[in-house]
Amino acid sequence: MTAEVRSPRARYREQTRAEIKAAALDQLAEGGAQAVALTRIARDMGLSGPALYRYFAGRDELLDELIRDAYDDLAHAVTHARGFGARDARAVLHTLADAFLDWATAQPHRYLLIQGTPVPGHAAPPDTAERARAALGPFLTVFASGDPSDAFRPTVEEMAGWVREDDSLAAWIAEHTGLPPHDARTGTALAGAVLAWSQLHGTVSLAVSGQYGGIGPRTRTLLLAQADALADAFRLA
């Protein structure tokens, strides 16, 4: 296949958009989403306001791009985590939790953009759910081989019902596990992945927002303990 040849104009546009996003990320790190201001970005880059709007229609479109990029980067960090291909499901779960934590703590402003308090007046782009699923997908693979304890059976059965009723959900699970919608293990995979994601999000969010100050726990220690508890509950090897 012949590689696409982009014109100088297209390359310049792509470069300028990247510079605008980089400036917006700096503002995000300084003061959160509320600090992202196109007028300030234009001034710092030596552009006029109308010139900048040729690259992004407005602040919402710029935030949409930052959200997409953050989800894509998180998904890449998780799916390419070192050790993800190991056979030991418990070890893989530790690897995924570590990768999630490392990504979030390295750039907490991006983590809080996608997992923190929603930006007032801004609706996330429609494809956000698909991108979030990409980051969650590896957890499906881990829990598909699980054998949930009795306490988790109602949750597993409920989620198996969701899979049978939602073709997009079934396709996503099949992509990562190879399981057809009628297979009972789809409920196990989804329940384990959602529970793992919930625990990760809760612990990491508290850590990156400084809520553990004065208590003293190491976030990684907490995450690994939670991962082990969930691995025990689903009888992962």
Side-chain angles (χ1 to χ4, degrees):
M1 180 184 295
T2 303
E4 180 183 355
V5 178
R6 293 172 297 157
S7 68
R9 182 186 295 272
R11 292 197 298 272
Y12 177 77
R13 177 177 177 80
E14 182 178 322
Q15 178 182 343
T16 303
R17 281 175 58 87
E19 291 175 2
I20 292 170
K21 289 196 290 184
L25 285 175
D26 287 341
Q27 293 180 348
L28 186 70
E30 291 172 5
Q34 296 298 327
V36 177
L38 270 66
T39 53
R40 180 183 162 196
I41 293 173
R43 184 184 68 245
D44 292 346
M45 292 182 62
L47 296 172
S48 66
L52 188 142
Y53 282 99
R54 291 202 296 266
Y55 300 97
F56 289 96
R59 180 172 174 270
D60 282 353
E61 184 179 322
L62 178 54
L63 287 175
D64 285 350
E65 283 293 293
L66 298 183
I67 289 170
R68 291 188 180 102
D69 288 349
Y71 271 118
D72 290 348
D73 284 354
L74 175 57
H76 184 274
V78 172
T79 57
H80 291 80
R82 187 174 183 179
F84 176 52
R87 292 186 177 184
D88 184 333
R90 185 182 296 262
V92 174
L93 186 56
H94 284 186
T95 293
L96 296 177
D98 275 340
F100 187 97
L101 175 63
D102 288 343
W103 186 88
T105 53
Q107 40 201 345
H109 54 295
R110 298 183 77 196
Y111 175 81
L112 291 173
L113 177 65
I114 60 175
Q115 301 289 343
T117 303
V119 180
H122 176 263
D127 54 355
T128 295
E130 180 180 349
R131 285 178 154 83
R133 283 182 177 181
L136 185 56
F139 292 89
L140 294 169
T141 306
V142 172
F143 286 97
S145 61
D147 177 23
S149 61
D150 291 343
F152 288 90
R153 289 291 177 185
T155 302
V156 168
E157 292 171 3
E158 179 180 348
M159 293 195 177
W162 292 355
V163 178
R164 289 191 294 269
E165 296 172 3
D166 188 327
D167 290 342
S168 67
L169 193 59
W172 171 55
I173 294 174
E175 177 186 352
H176 290 276
T177 66
L179 298 173
H182 62 270
D183 193 308
R185 288 174 295 174
T186 60
T188 300
L190 184 58
V194 171
L195 287 167
W197 189 263
S198 299
Q199 288 186 348
L200 281 169
H201 172 55
T203 300
V204 173
S205 294
L206 288 170
V208 299
S209 59
Q211 297 302 311
Y212 285 134
I215 300 176
R218 292 182 66 248
T219 306
R220 199 173 305 276
T221 301
L222 290 176
L223 280 185
L224 295 184
Q226 291 172 336
D228 279 335
L230 202 51
D232 290 342
F234 280 76
R235 302 186 179 99
L236 298 180

